[in-house]
């Protein structure tokens, strides 16, 4: 699981990944207050606008390869969903209640913690040659159940925050 801590090749690959390089470049541009020309900015915006649709397509393709009956009979999915959609938001809610942060900040943080597993999980599993069908099952399962849990978390927040 933590092979990157041992293997220098994996560490080098991680540090030189496009995401890390792009993040460092973005931070440099931000702190140096360098304005990007409109032509480049528009091009980047077109690519950024494709992020969510492409992620949904990849998650959908991998989900199409799974057996829907097995998803609802897979006991571990219920446990993962409980932890992600109920236990974590309750923990975050209690933490935010103790901190007494400004309402908008606390509420936004809480709702973000109550959201389902992202499609990025499936894409990372595909990239790392891991069990992408299981990741896709978790993605779809938590998305369906978040329809119920997010309003419940928001209701609980209305009493505590």
């Amino acid at each position: 699981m933590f092979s990157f801590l041992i293997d220098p090749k994996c560490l080098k690959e991680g540090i030189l990944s496009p995401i890390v390089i792009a993040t460092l470049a973005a931070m440099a541009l931000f702190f140096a207050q360098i304005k990007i020309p409109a032509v480049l900015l528009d091009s980047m915006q077109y690519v950024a606008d494709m992020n969510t649709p492409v992620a949904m397509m990849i998650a959908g393709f991998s989900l199409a390869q799974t057996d829907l009956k097995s998803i609802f009979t897979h006991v571990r999915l219920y446990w993962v969903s409980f932890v992600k959609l109920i236990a974590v938001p309750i923990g975050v809610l209690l933490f935010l209640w103790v901190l007494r942060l400004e309402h908008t900040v606390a509420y936004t943080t809480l709702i973000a913690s109550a959201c389902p597993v992202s499609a990025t999980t499936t894409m990372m599993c595909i990239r790392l040659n891991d069990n992408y069908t299981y990741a896709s099952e978790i993605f779809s399962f938590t998305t369906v159940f978040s329809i119920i849990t997010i309003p419940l978390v928001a209701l609980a927040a209305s009493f505590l925050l």
Side-chain angles (χ1 to χ4, degrees):
M1 180 174 178
F2 295 105
S3 63
F4 65 88
L5 295 175
I6 299 168
D7 188 7
K9 182 182 175 210
C10 287
L11 182 61
K12 179 183 173 190
E13 185 178 312
I15 291 173
L16 296 177
S17 71
I19 291 175
V20 172
I21 293 170
T23 301
L24 293 174
M27 289 173 59
L29 290 171
F30 175 77
F31 288 118
Q33 293 295 308
I34 297 172
K35 301 291 181 196
I36 298 173
V39 174
L40 290 175
L41 202 56
D42 289 344
S43 300
M44 287 189 281
Q45 188 60 50
Y46 290 138
V47 172
D49 289 344
M50 286 304 299
N51 262 349
T52 301
V54 169
M56 292 298 121
M57 286 173 35
I58 291 171
F61 294 151
S62 62
L63 183 61
Q65 297 174 9
T66 63
D67 177 25
L68 289 178
K69 182 181 177 190
S70 71
I71 290 176
F72 291 101
T73 58
H74 198 176
V75 177
R76 182 140 174 100
L77 290 177
Y78 289 94
W79 174 246
V80 169
S81 297
F82 169 78
V83 170
K84 175 63 180 113
L85 299 175
I86 297 171
V88 168
I90 288 174
V92 170
L93 177 61
L94 294 174
F95 183 71
L96 293 170
W97 180 63
V98 169
L99 285 182
R100 298 283 184 204
L101 293 175
E102 194 265 325
H103 179 75
T104 305
V105 173
Y107 208 77
T108 304
T109 303
L110 177 65
I111 296 301
S113 75
C115 286
V117 173
S118 70
T120 307
T121 308
T122 304
M123 293 189 308
M124 289 300 295
C125 286
I126 291 170
R127 166 108 167 74
L128 298 172
N129 295 320
D130 211 342
N131 189 353
Y132 68 88
T133 52
Y134 181 59
S136 180
E137 290 172 355
I138 294 172
F139 163 72
S140 60
F141 201 78
T142 57
T143 300
V144 168
F145 282 102
S146 69
I147 295 169
I148 299 165
T149 59
I150 290 177
L152 292 176
V153 167
L155 180 67
S158 68
F159 291 111
L160 290 176
L161 297 181

